[in-house]
C-alpha cells in the first residue's frame, strides 16, 4: 500500500540571503500549478492563487467573502467560524461593507490627502532634525519610520499621540502570527476599551477629526458604539503598521541599489509604486471564502472552500511585470500592482500611504545623502512572523 499524498504547506519561508524576495515556491507554482491546494497553519486547506490575473479576478469577485481577511489562515489556533464583528470594514461583505466604506471614503480621497501633504512634510523634517542631532547613528525604525505614520493617523483620526503606547503594543500583538488566540483577544479587548473611552469623550466634546465626524455624520443611519470601536480599531492599526514597515524596508532597499536614491529624488511617485510592487509587505496574502462555485484560471473552486490570494506572488508575475524580480524605476505602468489589494476591499488609505512614502523617502535622502547601514546586513532581524513584513530595527549612520 502507498500512503495518500499530503497537501503541501503554505509557502512562508523566504529564500536565504534574499530578504526582499517572496518564497521561491511561488515562481514554480505560477508556471506549473498557479492555483493549487495548500495546507494553512490554521489547519485548513485552501487554494493558493499565485498569478497576477487570477489574484485580481479573485479579489474582484463579489462571491468571494472577505470574512477571513484578517489573514487568519496563518494563525495556528484561529477560529475559522468566528462571527464577524459589526463595524469590521475589512471582513464584512456586500451592503454592510459598502455602508462603512462610504462613511470614511471622503477622508481618504486624493484631494483630502493632498491637503495633508504639508503636515506630513513638517513631520518628516522635524524627525530628521531630531535624528541628525544624534551623534551620527540612529535606529531608522524607532526614530523615523514608525513615528511619522503614527503621528499622521493619530492626527487624522483624532487619537492623542501621547497615548501611542496604548495602541502600538496591542497592534504588534494583533499582527503577530506567534501570538496565541488568548493574547490576541486580550490585545483586542484592551484596544477596544481604549477606543470606547475615546469615542465616549468625543460624543460630548467633538473635534475636527475623523472619529468626531463619524459620530456626528450618522443622521438617519448612525453607527453603534460597537461599530465605531471596531471600525476605529481597523483604521488605527492598518494606518500605521503597513506604512511604517514600508518606509524602513524601502530605505534598506534603496541603500543597496546603485543609483536608486537618485531615481527616487527624480520621480518619487513612480519610485514609490515600484517599491510597493517589489516589496509587497502584506506577506501572507489575503484570505477569501467562496460562497459559490467558481473557476479560477483552470481550477474549479467549490462553494465553502477557502482561497489565499498571494499578493507578493502576483506582484512578481513576469506576465504582468517583465523582469519582475528586478527593482526597475523605469517600469511602465508600475501602479497596476496589487500591493494595496484590489476590488471592493482595496486599501482605503492607499493615497495617504503614497504621500507618506514619497515625503519620507525623498526628504530622507535629500537631507542625508551619506546615509548607510551601521551594521552588516546579515545582522538585521526581519519580521517573518507578522502579517506585515519589515525589519525590526534599522541601525543607520551618516557623516
Amino acid at each position: 500500500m502507498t500512503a495518500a499524498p499530503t497537501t503541501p504547506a503554505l509557502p512562508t519561508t523566504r529564500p536565504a540571503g534574499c530578504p526582499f524576495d517572496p518564497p521561491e515556491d511561488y515562481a514554480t507554482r505560477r508556471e506549473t500549478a498557479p492555483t493549487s491546494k495548500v495546507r494553512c497553519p490554521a489547519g485548513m486547506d485552501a487554494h493558493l492563487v499565485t498569478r497576477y490575473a487570477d489574484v485580481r479576478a479573485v479579489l474582484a469577485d463579489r462571491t468571494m467573502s472577505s470574512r477571513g481577511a484578517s489573514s487568519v489562515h496563518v494563525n495556528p489556533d484561529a477560529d475559522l467560524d468566528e462571527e464577524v464583528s459589526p463595524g469590521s470594514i475589512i471582513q464584512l461583505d456586500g451592503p454592510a461593507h459598502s455602508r462603512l466604506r462610504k462613511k470614511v471614503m471622503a477622508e481618504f480621497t486624493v484631494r483630502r490627502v493632498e491637503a495633508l501633504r504639508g503636515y506630513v512634510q513638517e513631520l518628516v523634517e522635524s524627525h530628521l532634525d531630531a535624528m541628525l542631532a544624534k551623534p551620527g547613528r540612529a535606529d531608522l525604525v524607532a526614530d523615523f519610520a514608525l513615528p511619522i505614520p503614527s503621528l499622521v493617523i493619530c492626527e487624522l483620526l483624532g487619537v492623542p499621540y501621547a497615548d501611542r503606547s496604548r495602541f502600538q503594543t496591542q497592534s504588534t500583538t494583533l499582527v503577530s502570527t506567534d501570538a496565541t488566540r488568548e493574547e490576541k483577544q486580550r490585545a483586542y479587548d484592551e484596544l477596544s476599551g481604549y477606543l470606547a473611552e475615546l469615542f465616549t469623550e468625543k460624543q460630548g466634546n467633538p473635534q475636527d477629526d475623523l472619529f468626531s465626524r463619524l459620530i456626528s455624520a450618522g443622521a438617519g443611519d448612525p453607527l453603534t458604539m460597537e461599530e465605531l470601536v471596531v471600525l476605529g480599531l481597523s483604521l488605527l492599526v492598518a494606518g500605521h503598521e503597513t506604512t511604517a514597515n514600508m518606509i524602513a524596508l524601502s530605505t534598506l532597499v534603496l541603500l543597496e541599489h546603485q543609483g536608486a536614491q537618485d531615481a527616487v529624488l527624480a520621480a518619487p511617485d513612480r519610485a514609490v509604486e515600484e517599491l510597493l510592487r517589489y516589496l509587497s509587505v502584506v506577506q501572507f496574502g489575503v484570505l477569501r471564502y467562496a460562497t459559490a462555485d467558481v473557476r479560477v484560471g483552470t481550477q474549479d473552486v467549490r462553494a465553502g472552500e477557502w482561497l489565499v490570494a498571494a499578493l507578493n506572488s502576483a506582484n512578481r508575475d513576469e506576465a504582468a511585470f517583465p523582469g519582475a524580480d528586478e527593482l526597475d524605476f523605469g517600469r511602465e505602468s508600475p501602479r497596476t500592482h496589487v500591493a494595496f489589494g484590489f476590488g471592493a476591499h482595496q486599501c482605503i488609505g492607499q493615497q495617504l500611504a503614497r504621500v507618506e512614502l514619497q515625503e519620507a523617502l525623498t526628504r530622507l535622502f535629500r537631507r542625508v545623502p551619506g546615509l548607510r547601514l551601521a551594521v552588516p546586513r546579515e545582522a538585521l532581524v526581519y519580521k517573518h512572523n507578522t502579517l506585515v513584513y519589515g525589519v525590526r530595527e534599522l541601525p543607520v549612520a551618516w557623516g
Side-chain angles (χ1 to χ4, degrees):
M1 296 180 63
T2 59
T6 57
T7 305
L10 174 75
T12 58
T13 304
R14 293 172 180 266
C18 300
F20 310 125
D21 291 343
E24 293 174 303
D25 185 56
Y26 284 144
T28 302
R29 285 178 179 272
R30 286 195 301 269
E31 292 296 323
T32 62
T35 298
S36 53
K37 287 283 189 74
V38 293
R39 175 60 56 88
C40 297
M44 85 291 199
D45 286 351
H47 296 274
L48 179 62
V49 186
T50 59
R51 285 182 180 170
Y52 175 82
D54 295 337
V55 165
R56 281 173 57 106
V58 166
L59 296 181
D61 190 336
R62 296 300 181 101
T63 70
M64 296 290 179
S65 172
S66 184
R67 69 180 178 88
S70 52
S71 298
V72 296
H73 60 291
V74 291
N75 296 324
D77 59 353
D79 180 3
L80 298 173
D81 297 317
E82 186 176 16
E83 186 175 350
V84 176
S85 301
S88 178
I89 194 170
I90 297 175
Q91 293 177 277
L92 288 170
D93 299 309
H97 167 255
S98 298
R99 169 177 173 258
L100 292 175
R101 195 171 178 98
K102 287 177 182 177
K103 289 183 179 293
V104 296
M105 276 181 63
E107 304 285 340
F108 296 98
T109 61
V110 173
R111 181 178 179 181
R112 191 64 175 265
V113 169
E114 280 299 324
L116 283 171
R117 189 180 287 270
Y119 173 69
V120 174
Q121 292 170 346
E122 292 175 3
L123 282 181
V124 172
E125 291 295 339
S126 65
H127 280 78
L128 285 173
D129 289 342
M131 190 178 83
L132 293 173
K134 296 190 172 189
R137 178 168 170 153
D139 174 13
L140 197 85
V141 173
D143 295 326
F144 188 73
L146 180 58
I148 290 169
S150 298
L151 277 160
V152 172
I153 199 65
C154 283
E155 174 73 13
L156 181 66
L157 299 182
V159 175
Y161 184 63
D163 294 344
R164 62 190 179 279
S165 62
R166 297 188 66 178
F167 68 79
Q168 286 180 346
T169 300
Q170 289 90 342
S171 295
T172 299
T173 301
L174 291 173
V175 300
S176 169
T177 60
D178 289 341
T180 64
R181 189 189 305 177
E182 291 73 20
E183 290 170 333
K184 287 179 180 289
Q185 187 62 54
R186 185 162 55 249
Y188 183 89
D189 291 343
E190 290 174 1
L191 189 49
S192 297
Y194 165 68
L195 289 175
E197 294 175 8
L198 189 61
F199 275 111
T200 300
E201 178 185 331
K202 289 181 181 296
Q203 284 176 329
N205 184 29
Q207 305 292 321
D208 182 19
D209 57 59
L210 189 154
F211 280 178
S212 295
R213 285 189 285 276
L214 282 176
I215 295 170
S216 62
D221 184 25
L223 293 173
T224 66
M225 178 58 75
E226 183 180 8
E227 289 176 322
L228 287 168
V229 167
V230 176
L231 177 58
L233 187 151
S234 299
L235 295 172
L236 183 59
V237 174
H240 76 277
E241 279 287 345
T242 49
T243 309
N245 283 293
M246 267 301 300
I247 291 172
L249 204 60
S250 296
T251 300
L252 178 58
V253 169
L254 295 171
L255 290 176
E256 296 202 348
H257 284 74
Q258 187 75 25
Q261 298 169 30
D262 292 337
V264 171
L265 294 174
D269 52 347
R270 176 178 288 272
V272 162
E273 298 305 322
E274 176 65 356
L275 287 165
L276 286 162
R277 180 203 69 82
Y278 183 71
L279 294 173
S280 302
V281 295
V282 179
Q283 64 173 333
F284 300 122
V286 291
L287 190 63
R288 291 293 185 265
Y289 180 80
T291 63
D293 293 350
V294 67
R295 192 167 182 83
V296 179
T298 60
Q299 181 69 38
D300 290 324
V301 176
R302 302 300 180 191
E305 293 185 322
W306 293 95
L307 303 93
V308 176
L311 304 182
N312 52 1
S313 176
N315 281 337
R316 294 295 187 96
D317 188 345
E318 289 280 336
F321 306 102
D325 287 332
E326 300 299 323
L327 188 66
D328 179 7
F329 292 118
R331 188 179 300 282
E332 293 296 325
S333 303
R335 201 161 178 160
T336 57
H337 62 75
V338 290
F340 291 117
F342 189 69
H345 282 85
Q346 191 172 32
C347 175
I348 201 166
Q350 60 182 286
Q351 304 301 341
L352 182 59
R354 287 184 167 104
V355 167
E356 291 173 319
L357 285 163
Q358 290 165 11
E359 296 299 335
L361 295 174
T362 55
R363 292 173 185 276
L364 172 65
F365 286 108
R366 189 176 295 125
R367 290 277 305 272
V368 199
L371 192 71
R372 64 183 184 278
L373 276 179
V375 298
R377 198 188 80 174
E378 295 73 24
L380 298 177
V381 179
Y382 299 91
K383 297 182 178 181
H384 295 291
N385 62 339
T386 63
L387 302 182
V388 183
Y389 186 63
V391 60
R392 298 198 177 278
E393 295 179 349
L394 189 60
V396 293
W398 56 89

